């Protein structure tokens, strides 16, 4: 493995310091001697595989060396000081950075996960190579995931899709991103993955012949016009096909880029020349052309994409790029490394990481970990939309942004004084969703009263949201303090707590200090302008002062009474409901079914003894049961073998809005002989959202209904409340 690694490094950097790599290998072999992986193989194989992955990305010698040593400090007795002495500060600091990230545990609690992400972002900002080693480490771990228990396989796969794959995407390292996603999909949805593999394989020969014919025709035409080009079939990545099918509700046959060719040329002029030749030969599909050369993606990706109708009437995609663009598309940020002098163009390199600097600023400003997580999801992990200023400058914003996001991206003062907007010369509402290519003109007024709090619900980008919050924070502090007090009082009442008990001044001082505020008034002001959520503060107080507060089940009972099931609608026999379950050790015990989770025969259930109201029945996965303070009030209950009672269940449906959709939904429910208790529908742009309550006799009946509803083409998602 060491010979293979050295050969690979020398292939792209003939002046590489091979002795340092050999020294690192010798130390790692000695340090890991006797250690085994879960697979049973020698531990040293893992760091060597990680180094080989990075050599495939053509990274510098310090990164390759640190990859070989990345587990030495964490998993062996080799001291950090010795590593610093042998390899110098640069390599030792890289190893230390990876070690700190490796100790992060991404737990299911979002707050804990957000705190760990903060640490990872800070490590990335210090030296981006740290996260590149971690990505390679994660990739090799995913390749050997089959040796882990099933629960860990799923947890690691989900974590990879949620965190590591988006980071690889943001760094433009598609070589790693695609493999991470495909492996994760195999463990998260094995039947779906292999079904897709089979579908792709079924017509492979036909597709490959079709692609070969297309490439031969295109190669001949390009030779005729004097354009030198390398033409290949583009590899298929199962996760991208899977995501298009399930997120966009498209059939396998509707995925255009199953058949795709990639054309690599020597110059940008030739890119547009190839495009002209392709559009002359085959008809382009409207709306399917994207120019990422003129407007590169934030992760540096550049290419021309077009979809055309081929010789036999089948659509196929063509990607056109230069060799430099191709290398950047594969290696991302790694393509900008110069092996002897570090970064080739440090100013240009810093520009590529502007998004990372922004995230660092946000993590300092945002006290609430959940809010930080939301910021990441919007600004790091979502698609982009590109719009123009009236002067023709390109502005990149998160997909779904509105004119207010644009205004604040130009300047915070323009955002604060915004009173309207024009898109392509026409006045639009401020909640208009920006589309690629829109020309945006912001209308301002010097007498403007400033932003509205409602704007926080409209804007999509974290940049705009933070600027609006800063305005309220600075300009309306007294108003914010009062609003913060009101919001905190309201949350206390919502949780059924005693205000005089929970909002003591010393408790609030503790919460303010722990949330990095100087005074309680600063804390109130932050709650008022939306900088921190009141529930976050109350939870801090409850966790720290739980012994003093002596929190007893009254909290849960108060909530329980508020959400208990009302007697069923007409036509249902309430006596039958009470007799549908048996309470362990009791006869004729009063039974109620909670509205928070609406249990139905077939669900796993548990009882909760309420004061003077008998037993309240919940599903075992109900959030109120998981958060119950007094587990002593939980009691075993079970469904009786036969019951003719009907039970209220509730589902949410998201669908593409279409004429007659409501009729089709209600017809499917009616055809199943199911009675609707309530139905609420709202529409938002192109989507319709249904909230439906109905009476069913079992989970089998409920699942059958969901299966039937899923057959309506417009329906995107259905989930049970």
């Amino acid at each position: 493995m060491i010979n293979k690694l050295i050969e690979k490094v020398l292939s792209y950097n003939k002046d590489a310091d091979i002795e340092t790599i050999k020294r690192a290998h010798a130390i790692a072999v000695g340090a890991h001697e006797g250690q085994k992986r879960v697979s049973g193989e020698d531990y040293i194989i893992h760091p060597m595989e990680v180094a080989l992955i990075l050599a495939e990305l053509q990274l510098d010698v310090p990164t390759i060396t640190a990859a070989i040593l990345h587990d030495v400090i964490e998993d062996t007795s080799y001291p950090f000081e010795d590593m610093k002495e042998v390899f110098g500060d640069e390599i030792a600091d890289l190893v230390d950075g990876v070690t700190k990230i490796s100790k992060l545990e991404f737990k299911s609690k979002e707050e804990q996960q957000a705190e760990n992400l903060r640490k990872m972002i800070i490590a990335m900002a210090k030296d981006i190579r740290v996260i590149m080693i971690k990505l390679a480490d994660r990739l090799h771990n995913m390749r050997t995931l089959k040796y882990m228990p099933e629960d860990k396989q799923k947890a690691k796969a989900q974590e990879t899709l949620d965190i590591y794959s988006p980071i690889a995407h943001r760094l433009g390292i598609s070589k790693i991103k695609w493999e991470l996603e495909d492996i994760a999909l195999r463990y998260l949805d094995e039947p779906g993955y292999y079904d897709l593999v089979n579908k792709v394989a079924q017509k492979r020969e036909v597709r490959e012949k079709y692609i070969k014919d297309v490439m031969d025709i295109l190669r001949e035409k390009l030779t005729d016009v004097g354009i030198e080009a390398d033409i290949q079939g583009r590899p298929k990545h199962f996760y991208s096909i899977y995501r298009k099918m399930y997120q966009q509700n498209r059939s396998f046959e509707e995925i255009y880029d199953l058949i795709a060719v990639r054309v690599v040329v020597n110059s940008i002029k030739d890119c547009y020349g190839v495009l002209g030749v392709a559009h002359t030969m085959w008809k382009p599909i409207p709306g399917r052309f994207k120019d990422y050369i003129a407007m590169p993606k934030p992760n540096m990706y550049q290419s021309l994409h077009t979809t055309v109708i081929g010789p036999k009437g089948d659509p196929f995609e063509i990607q056109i790029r230069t060799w430099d663009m191709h290398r950047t598309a594969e290696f991302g940020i790694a393509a900008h490394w110069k092996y002897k002098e570090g970064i080739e163009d440090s100013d240009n390199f810093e520009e590529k990481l502007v998004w990372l600097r922004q995230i660092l600023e946000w993590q300092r400003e945002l006290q609430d970990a959940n809010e930080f997580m939301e910021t990441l999801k919007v600004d790091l992990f979502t698609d982009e939309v590109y719009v123009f200023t009236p002067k023709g400058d390109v502005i990149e914003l998160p997909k779904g942004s509105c004119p207010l996001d644009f205004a604040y991206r130009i300047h915070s003062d323009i955002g604060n004084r915004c009173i309207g907007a024009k898109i392509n010369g026409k006045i639009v509402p401020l909640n208009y969703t920006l589309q690629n290519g829109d020309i945006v003109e912001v209308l301002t007024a010097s007498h403007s009263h400033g932003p509205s709090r409602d704007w926080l619900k409209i804007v999509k980008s974290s940049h705009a949201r933070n600027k609006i919050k800063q305005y309220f924070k600075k300009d309306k502090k007294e108003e914010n303090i009062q609003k913060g007090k009101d919001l905190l009082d309201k949350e206390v009442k919502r949780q059924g707590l005693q205000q005089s008990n929970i909002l003591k001044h010393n408790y609030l001082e503790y919460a303010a200090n722990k949330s990095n505020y100087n005074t309680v008034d600063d804390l109130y002001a932050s709650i008022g302008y939306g900088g921190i959520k009141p529930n976050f503060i109350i939870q801090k107080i409850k966790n720290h002062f739980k012994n003093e507060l002596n929190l007893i089940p009254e909290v849960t009972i108060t909530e329980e009474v508020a959400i208990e099931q009302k007697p069923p609608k007409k036509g249902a026999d309430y006596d039958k409901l009470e007799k549908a379950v048996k309470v362990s050790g009791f006869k004729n015990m009063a039974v109620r079914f909670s509205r928070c989770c609406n249990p139905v025969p077939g669900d796993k259930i548990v009882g909760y003894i309420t004061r003077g109201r008998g037993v309240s029945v919940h599903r075992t996965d109900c959030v109120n049961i998981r958060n119950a303070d007094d587990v002593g009030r939980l009691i075993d209950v079970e469904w009786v073998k036969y019951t003719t009672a009907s039970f209220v269940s509730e589902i949410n449906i998201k669908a593409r809005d279409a004429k007659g959709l409501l009729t089709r939904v209600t017809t499917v429910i009616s055809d199943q002989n199911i009675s609707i208790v309530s139905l609420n529908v709202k529409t938002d742009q192109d989507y319709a959202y249904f909230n439906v309550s109905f009476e069913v006799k079992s989970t089998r009946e409920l699942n059958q209904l969901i299966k039937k509803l899923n057959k309506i083409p417009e329906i995107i998602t259905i989930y049970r409340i």
Side-chain angles (χ1 to χ4, degrees):
M1 291 185 80
I2 184 63
N3 292 336
K4 185 180 175 184
L5 177 64
I6 289 169
E7 185 182 340
K8 186 67 190 172
V9 172
L10 288 173
S11 72
Y12 63 84
N13 182 10
K14 58 181 173 47
D15 299 322
D17 181 2
I18 297 303
E19 290 307 311
T20 298
I21 294 175
K22 286 181 178 177
R23 195 182 316 130
H25 175 254
I27 287 173
V29 168
H32 290 299
E33 188 177 3
Q35 291 183 346
K36 300 283 185 183
R37 301 253 300 163
V38 178
S39 61
E41 63 187 13
D42 290 340
Y43 196 93
I44 188 62
I45 290 174
H46 169 66
M48 292 305 294
E49 288 285 3
V50 172
L52 280 164
I53 290 168
L54 292 168
E56 289 288 336
L57 296 177
Q58 302 186 359
L59 275 158
D60 58 350
V61 168
T63 312
I64 303 290
T65 307
I68 297 170
L69 300 166
H70 81 270
D71 279 334
V72 166
I73 295 176
E74 183 181 359
D75 293 336
T76 76
S77 57
Y78 195 89
F80 174 73
E81 290 71 24
D82 287 6
M83 188 171 290
K84 208 167 188 178
E85 190 176 327
V86 175
F87 294 101
D89 290 350
E90 182 183 14
I91 290 171
D93 287 344
L94 281 172
V95 174
D96 188 47
V98 179
T99 302
K100 285 175 181 173
I101 291 178
S102 296
K103 289 178 180 175
L104 302 182
E105 287 290 332
F106 289 99
K107 298 177 182 173
S108 56
K109 289 184 179 177
E110 195 170 50
E111 188 178 320
Q112 182 67 42
Q113 192 179 66
E115 286 303 324
N116 287 333
L117 265 173
R118 284 181 195 261
K119 294 171 188 171
M120 185 181 283
I121 296 296
I122 291 167
M124 286 168 66
K126 286 180 181 173
D127 193 326
I128 200 72
R129 292 174 293 178
V130 168
I131 200 62
M132 293 163 93
I133 297 169
K134 188 60 191 170
L135 284 172
D137 173 57
R138 173 51 61 113
L139 178 55
H140 184 249
N141 283 334
M142 290 297 286
R143 287 174 179 174
T144 56
L145 201 56
K146 64 182 178 183
Y147 299 106
M148 301 293 283
E150 187 178 347
D151 59 330
K152 287 201 173 181
Q153 288 175 347
K154 289 192 181 298
K156 290 288 182 189
Q158 192 60 57
E159 182 182 286
T160 298
L161 278 187
D162 289 345
I163 296 164
Y164 291 101
S165 166
I167 288 175
H169 171 71
R170 210 59 162 94
L171 295 174
I173 312 173
S174 59
K175 207 172 172 62
I176 286 182
K177 171 184 178 281
W178 289 329
E179 190 176 348
L180 285 176
E181 289 175 341
D182 283 355
I183 298 173
L185 175 60
R186 194 186 340 147
Y187 288 101
L188 288 174
D189 184 1
E190 189 174 354
Y193 174 81
Y194 283 108
D195 176 57
L196 194 54
V197 170
N198 291 333
K199 282 178 176 173
V200 169
Q202 277 170 10
K203 296 183 179 179
R204 177 172 286 153
E205 287 184 20
V206 176
R207 258 198 323 272
E208 285 179 354
K209 185 180 183 313
Y210 185 69
I211 290 173
K212 184 180 180 303
D213 292 344
V214 164
M215 290 194 301
D216 289 345
I217 296 167
L218 186 57
R219 192 176 288 113
E220 186 181 332
K221 289 288 183 185
L222 292 179
T223 303
D224 289 345
V225 296
I227 296 177
E228 186 182 328
D230 180 74
I231 307 174
Q232 301 169 345
R234 189 176 68 79
K236 322 295 182 298
H237 299 286
F238 296 116
Y239 182 72
S240 63
I241 300 169
Y242 178 92
R243 195 173 59 176
K244 283 177 185 174
M245 287 172 64
Y246 287 90
Q247 284 189 353
Q248 300 173 19
N249 200 26
R250 290 158 68 182
S251 69
F252 180 74
E253 290 70 25
E254 290 177 295
I255 307 296
Y256 289 135
D257 53 4
L258 278 173
I259 302 174
V261 296
R262 179 177 292 146
V263 184
V264 186
V265 294
N266 295 321
S267 67
I268 292 176
K269 176 175 73 70
D270 285 347
C271 288
Y272 290 99
V274 172
L275 181 72
V277 170
H279 282 185
T280 304
M281 293 164 60
W282 302 298
K283 288 188 185 302
I285 295 177
R288 297 285 303 170
F289 169 65
K290 295 186 177 79
D291 187 343
Y292 294 122
I293 293 179
M295 292 188 289
K297 289 185 177 184
N299 64 3
M300 301 163 290
Y301 179 87
Q302 286 185 288
S303 195
L304 296 176
H305 290 197
T306 185
T307 303
V308 297
I309 303 295
K312 296 179 182 177
D314 292 323
F316 70 93
E317 187 185 58
I318 306 174
Q319 293 182 355
I320 310 162
R321 59 179 70 150
T322 66
W323 286 105
D324 281 346
M325 291 172 193
H326 182 58
R327 187 164 179 268
T328 300
E330 293 290 304
F331 301 155
I333 204 87
H336 291 254
W337 235 264
K338 194 174 180 183
Y339 311 110
K340 287 168 70 178
E341 291 102 23
I343 303 305
E344 190 171 358
D345 180 348
S346 59
D347 291 339
N348 184 44
F349 187 76
E350 285 299 314
E351 279 179 29
K352 307 298 181 192
L353 297 179
V354 165
W355 59 271
L356 186 54
R357 307 284 169 234
Q358 285 178 336
I359 291 170
L360 267 181
E361 288 176 20
W362 295 329
Q363 72 89 15
R364 292 190 196 103
E365 291 175 8
L366 301 174
Q367 305 296 330
D368 185 348
N370 291 330
E371 192 175 356
F372 175 67
M373 200 72 177
E374 286 304 311
T375 297
L376 276 181
K377 285 176 184 173
V378 171
D379 287 83
L380 181 59
F381 302 160
T382 59
D383 293 331
E384 302 79 30
V385 62
Y386 300 93
V387 295
F388 294 95
T389 68
K391 292 182 178 178
D393 296 326
V394 179
I395 303 294
E396 169 225 328
L397 294 164
K399 198 168 185 177
S401 291
C402 66
L404 287 170
D405 293 287
F406 175 89
Y408 278 101
R409 182 59 58 89
I410 300 300
H411 197 281
S412 55
D413 190 46
I414 291 175
N416 290 337
R417 293 190 293 112
C418 176
I419 57 167
K422 284 184 179 180
I423 304 294
N424 306 323
K426 294 181 180 178
I427 291 179
V428 297
L430 288 176
N431 64 353
Y432 168 86
T433 303
L434 296 175
Q435 306 296 319
N436 277 318
D438 279 346
I439 300 171
V440 188
E441 182 183 349
V442 180
L443 307 176
T444 60
S446 54
H447 60 271
S448 167
H449 297 297
S452 158
R453 289 188 187 276
D454 290 335
W455 288 7
L456 290 169
K457 299 172 187 174
I458 298 172
V459 294
K460 182 74 173 175
S461 66
S462 300
H463 177 80
R465 189 173 289 111
N466 290 335
K467 291 298 180 186
I468 295 167
K469 286 178 181 177
Q470 282 176 17
Y471 173 86
F472 288 114
K473 182 179 179 180
K474 290 175 183 174
D475 289 30
K476 301 194 175 183
K477 186 166 183 180
E478 289 305 317
E479 182 185 322
N480 287 331
I481 290 172
Q482 187 55 50
K483 187 174 176 63
K485 287 179 180 177
D486 294 342
L487 288 171
L488 201 58
D489 289 347
K490 190 176 178 181
E491 181 62 23
V492 167
K493 288 173 186 172
R494 191 190 72 78
Q495 294 194 23
L497 300 166
Q498 285 292 323
Q499 189 178 337
S500 56
N501 287 346
I502 202 89
L503 296 185
K504 292 179 180 175
H505 190 71
N506 61 316
Y507 291 0
L508 289 167
E509 280 186 329
Y510 167 81
N513 180 263
K514 284 295 177 183
S515 304
N516 298 321
Y517 296 106
N518 294 325
T519 66
V520 173
D521 275 353
D522 288 343
L523 174 65
Y524 280 137
S526 180
I527 296 170
Y529 70 74
I532 194 167
K533 293 176 182 174
N535 181 49
F536 181 73
I537 297 302
I538 293 171
Q539 202 57 48
K540 271 190 183 299
I541 292 171
K542 284 165 72 176
N543 290 343
H544 189 73
F545 297 102
K546 57 187 172 188
N547 293 332
E548 287 180 40
L549 288 165
N550 193 26
L551 291 172
I552 54 174
E554 271 84 345
V555 178
T556 308
I557 291 164
T558 306
E559 292 175 347
E560 188 63 45
V561 171
I563 60 176
E564 279 187 3
Q565 178 81 45
K566 294 174 183 174
K569 303 286 176 184
K570 59 184 179 180
D573 185 345
Y574 191 61
D575 290 335
K576 288 179 184 176
L577 273 180
E578 283 207 303
K579 293 171 184 174
V581 296
K582 290 189 291 188
V583 181
S584 178
F586 293 91
K587 286 184 178 179
N588 302 321
M589 173 71 80
V591 171
R592 291 172 177 269
F593 291 87
S594 65
R595 285 184 67 197
C596 52
C597 58
N598 287 327
V600 170
D603 289 326
K604 291 181 179 178
I605 52 173
V606 66
Y608 187 90
I609 301 171
T610 60
R611 290 189 171 176
R613 293 175 176 268
V615 172
S616 179
V617 179
H618 294 256
R619 282 165 32 197
T620 53
D621 60 352
C622 175
V623 67
N624 285 323
I625 289 299
R626 289 206 304 265
N627 295 334
D629 292 323
D630 188 356
V631 293
R633 287 177 177 263
L634 298 178
I635 189 170
D636 289 337
V637 294
E638 61 178 308
W639 299 104
V640 298
K641 197 164 184 181
Y642 302 106
T643 177
T644 57
S646 294
F647 298 79
V648 175
S649 193
E650 189 177 354
I651 59 171
N652 264 2
I653 301 172
K654 179 184 177 182
R656 286 190 295 276
D657 199 9
K659 190 174 180 180
L661 179 61
L662 176 60
T663 305
R664 274 178 284 160
V665 169
T666 53
T667 300
V668 169
I669 297 172
S670 175
D671 287 348
Q672 297 296 109
N673 292 319
I674 290 174
S675 300
I676 294 175
V677 174
S678 68
L679 172 63
N680 290 301
V681 187
K682 67 174 183 177
T683 57
D684 178 16
Q685 294 177 11
D686 298 328
Y687 297 100
Y689 301 87
F690 295 75
N691 183 277
V692 195
S693 295
F694 42 78
E695 292 177 352
V696 290
K697 290 184 167 57
S698 66
T699 51
R700 184 168 173 271
E701 197 173 33
L702 172 62
N703 292 335
Q704 281 178 341
L705 173 64
I706 291 173
K707 193 174 179 181
K708 295 279 186 187
L709 287 168
N710 264 318
K711 290 182 179 178
I712 298 174
E714 287 81 9
I715 287 182
I716 299 167
T717 57
I718 302 177
Y719 64 88
R720 184 180 172 191
I721 301 290

PDB file of all heavy atoms in Angstrom, residues 416-430:
ATOM      1  N   ASN A 416     -33.685  47.609   4.685  1.00  0.00           N
ATOM      2  CA  ASN A 416     -34.492  48.269   5.723  1.00  0.00           C
ATOM      3  C   ASN A 416     -35.451  49.307   5.138  1.00  0.00           C
ATOM      4  O   ASN A 416     -36.522  49.557   5.695  1.00  0.00           O
ATOM      5  CB  ASN A 416     -33.571  48.960   6.744  1.00  0.00           C
ATOM      6  CG  ASN A 416     -32.821  47.957   7.608  1.00  0.00           C
ATOM      7  OD1 ASN A 416     -33.258  46.813   7.763  1.00  0.00           O
ATOM      8  ND2 ASN A 416     -31.700  48.373   8.173  1.00  0.00           N
ATOM      9  N   ARG A 417     -35.071  49.927   3.996  1.00  0.00           N
ATOM     10  CA  ARG A 417     -35.919  50.970   3.396  1.00  0.00           C
ATOM     11  C   ARG A 417     -36.777  50.454   2.239  1.00  0.00           C
ATOM     12  O   ARG A 417     -37.423  51.236   1.550  1.00  0.00           O
ATOM     13  CB  ARG A 417     -35.041  52.136   2.908  1.00  0.00           C
ATOM     14  CG  ARG A 417     -34.363  52.899   4.042  1.00  0.00           C
ATOM     15  CD  ARG A 417     -33.698  54.182   3.581  1.00  0.00           C
ATOM     16  NE  ARG A 417     -32.553  53.952   2.704  1.00  0.00           N
ATOM     17  CZ  ARG A 417     -32.522  54.265   1.413  1.00  0.00           C
ATOM     18  NH1 ARG A 417     -33.574  54.808   0.830  1.00  0.00           N
ATOM     19  NH2 ARG A 417     -31.448  54.031   0.694  1.00  0.00           N
ATOM     20  N   CYS A 418     -36.768  49.137   2.034  1.00  0.00           N
ATOM     21  CA  CYS A 418     -37.511  48.554   0.915  1.00  0.00           C
ATOM     22  C   CYS A 418     -39.026  48.704   1.105  1.00  0.00           C
ATOM     23  O   CYS A 418     -39.552  48.419   2.183  1.00  0.00           O
ATOM     24  CB  CYS A 418     -37.148  47.067   0.784  1.00  0.00           C
ATOM     25  SG  CYS A 418     -38.072  46.192  -0.477  1.00  0.00           S
ATOM     26  N   ILE A 419     -39.711  49.162   0.067  1.00  0.00           N
ATOM     27  CA  ILE A 419     -41.187  49.271   0.130  1.00  0.00           C
ATOM     28  C   ILE A 419     -41.858  48.475  -0.996  1.00  0.00           C
ATOM     29  O   ILE A 419     -43.083  48.376  -1.061  1.00  0.00           O
ATOM     30  CB  ILE A 419     -41.649  50.755   0.052  1.00  0.00           C
ATOM     31  CG1 ILE A 419     -41.121  51.412  -1.226  1.00  0.00           C
ATOM     32  CG2 ILE A 419     -41.232  51.524   1.299  1.00  0.00           C
ATOM     33  CD1 ILE A 419     -41.760  52.752  -1.538  1.00  0.00           C
ATOM     34  N   GLY A 420     -41.046  47.921  -1.906  1.00  0.00           N
ATOM     35  CA  GLY A 420     -41.611  47.151  -3.012  1.00  0.00           C
ATOM     36  C   GLY A 420     -40.508  46.680  -3.940  1.00  0.00           C
ATOM     37  O   GLY A 420     -39.321  46.921  -3.703  1.00  0.00           O
ATOM     38  N   ALA A 421     -40.899  45.976  -4.999  1.00  0.00           N
ATOM     39  CA  ALA A 421     -39.904  45.464  -5.940  1.00  0.00           C
ATOM     40  C   ALA A 421     -40.505  45.313  -7.331  1.00  0.00           C
ATOM     41  O   ALA A 421     -41.714  45.109  -7.481  1.00  0.00           O
ATOM     42  CB  ALA A 421     -39.369  44.120  -5.456  1.00  0.00           C
ATOM     43  N   LYS A 422     -39.627  45.428  -8.330  1.00  0.00           N
ATOM     44  CA  LYS A 422     -40.014  45.145  -9.725  1.00  0.00           C
ATOM     45  C   LYS A 422     -39.204  43.950 -10.214  1.00  0.00           C
ATOM     46  O   LYS A 422     -37.982  43.889 -10.000  1.00  0.00           O
ATOM     47  CB  LYS A 422     -39.723  46.351 -10.628  1.00  0.00           C
ATOM     48  CG  LYS A 422     -40.704  47.492 -10.491  1.00  0.00           C
ATOM     49  CD  LYS A 422     -40.355  48.584 -11.501  1.00  0.00           C
ATOM     50  CE  LYS A 422     -41.340  49.754 -11.414  1.00  0.00           C
ATOM     51  NZ  LYS A 422     -41.000  50.804 -12.405  1.00  0.00           N
ATOM     52  N   ILE A 423     -39.879  43.008 -10.838  1.00  0.00           N
ATOM     53  CA  ILE A 423     -39.213  41.865 -11.455  1.00  0.00           C
ATOM     54  C   ILE A 423     -39.442  41.959 -12.961  1.00  0.00           C
ATOM     55  O   ILE A 423     -40.595  41.995 -13.415  1.00  0.00           O
ATOM     56  CB  ILE A 423     -39.760  40.526 -10.926  1.00  0.00           C
ATOM     57  CG1 ILE A 423     -39.643  40.450  -9.401  1.00  0.00           C
ATOM     58  CG2 ILE A 423     -39.056  39.348 -11.610  1.00  0.00           C
ATOM     59  CD1 ILE A 423     -38.229  40.417  -8.871  1.00  0.00           C
ATOM     60  N   ASN A 424     -38.337  42.044 -13.698  1.00  0.00           N
ATOM     61  CA  ASN A 424     -38.411  42.178 -15.159  1.00  0.00           C
ATOM     62  C   ASN A 424     -39.335  43.336 -15.573  1.00  0.00           C
ATOM     63  O   ASN A 424     -40.104  43.239 -16.521  1.00  0.00           O
ATOM     64  CB  ASN A 424     -38.897  40.867 -15.793  1.00  0.00           C
ATOM     65  CG  ASN A 424     -38.043  39.682 -15.364  1.00  0.00           C
ATOM     66  OD1 ASN A 424     -36.831  39.822 -15.218  1.00  0.00           O
ATOM     67  ND2 ASN A 424     -38.661  38.536 -15.154  1.00  0.00           N
ATOM     68  N   GLY A 425     -39.277  44.429 -14.782  1.00  0.00           N
ATOM     69  CA  GLY A 425     -40.028  45.633 -15.107  1.00  0.00           C
ATOM     70  C   GLY A 425     -41.436  45.684 -14.543  1.00  0.00           C
ATOM     71  O   GLY A 425     -42.108  46.712 -14.660  1.00  0.00           O
ATOM     72  N   LYS A 426     -41.925  44.603 -13.908  1.00  0.00           N
ATOM     73  CA  LYS A 426     -43.293  44.590 -13.368  1.00  0.00           C
ATOM     74  C   LYS A 426     -43.258  44.545 -11.842  1.00  0.00           C
ATOM     75  O   LYS A 426     -42.460  43.813 -11.247  1.00  0.00           O
ATOM     76  CB  LYS A 426     -44.058  43.368 -13.894  1.00  0.00           C
ATOM     77  CG  LYS A 426     -44.311  43.409 -15.401  1.00  0.00           C
ATOM     78  CD  LYS A 426     -45.098  42.176 -15.834  1.00  0.00           C
ATOM     79  CE  LYS A 426     -45.351  42.210 -17.348  1.00  0.00           C
ATOM     80  NZ  LYS A 426     -46.066  41.000 -17.831  1.00  0.00           N
ATOM     81  N   ILE A 427     -44.156  45.318 -11.223  1.00  0.00           N
ATOM     82  CA  ILE A 427     -44.229  45.333  -9.760  1.00  0.00           C
ATOM     83  C   ILE A 427     -44.776  43.997  -9.265  1.00  0.00           C
ATOM     84  O   ILE A 427     -45.769  43.478  -9.784  1.00  0.00           O
ATOM     85  CB  ILE A 427     -45.112  46.506  -9.272  1.00  0.00           C
ATOM     86  CG1 ILE A 427     -44.405  47.835  -9.568  1.00  0.00           C
ATOM     87  CG2 ILE A 427     -45.409  46.380  -7.787  1.00  0.00           C
ATOM     88  CD1 ILE A 427     -45.165  49.065  -9.168  1.00  0.00           C
ATOM     89  N   VAL A 428     -44.107  43.439  -8.245  1.00  0.00           N
ATOM     90  CA  VAL A 428     -44.527  42.156  -7.666  1.00  0.00           C
ATOM     91  C   VAL A 428     -44.629  42.304  -6.148  1.00  0.00           C
ATOM     92  O   VAL A 428     -44.035  43.219  -5.570  1.00  0.00           O
ATOM     93  CB  VAL A 428     -43.522  41.034  -8.005  1.00  0.00           C
ATOM     94  CG1 VAL A 428     -43.451  40.777  -9.498  1.00  0.00           C
ATOM     95  CG2 VAL A 428     -42.137  41.339  -7.426  1.00  0.00           C
ATOM     96  N   PRO A 429     -45.369  41.416  -5.458  1.00  0.00           N
ATOM     97  CA  PRO A 429     -45.394  41.465  -3.988  1.00  0.00           C
ATOM     98  C   PRO A 429     -44.041  41.063  -3.410  1.00  0.00           C
ATOM     99  O   PRO A 429     -43.253  40.373  -4.077  1.00  0.00           O
ATOM    100  CB  PRO A 429     -46.481  40.448  -3.625  1.00  0.00           C
ATOM    101  CG  PRO A 429     -46.609  39.554  -4.807  1.00  0.00           C
ATOM    102  CD  PRO A 429     -46.267  40.388  -6.002  1.00  0.00           C
ATOM    103  N   LEU A 430     -43.793  41.461  -2.172  1.00  0.00           N
ATOM    104  CA  LEU A 430     -42.496  41.181  -1.554  1.00  0.00           C
ATOM    105  C   LEU A 430     -42.278  39.693  -1.295  1.00  0.00           C
ATOM    106  O   LEU A 430     -41.143  39.252  -1.096  1.00  0.00           O
ATOM    107  CB  LEU A 430     -42.356  41.954  -0.230  1.00  0.00           C
ATOM    108  CG  LEU A 430     -42.170  43.468  -0.370  1.00  0.00           C
ATOM    109  CD1 LEU A 430     -42.140  44.131   0.996  1.00  0.00           C
ATOM    110  CD2 LEU A 430     -40.896  43.787  -1.148  1.00  0.00           C
TER     111      LEU A 430
END
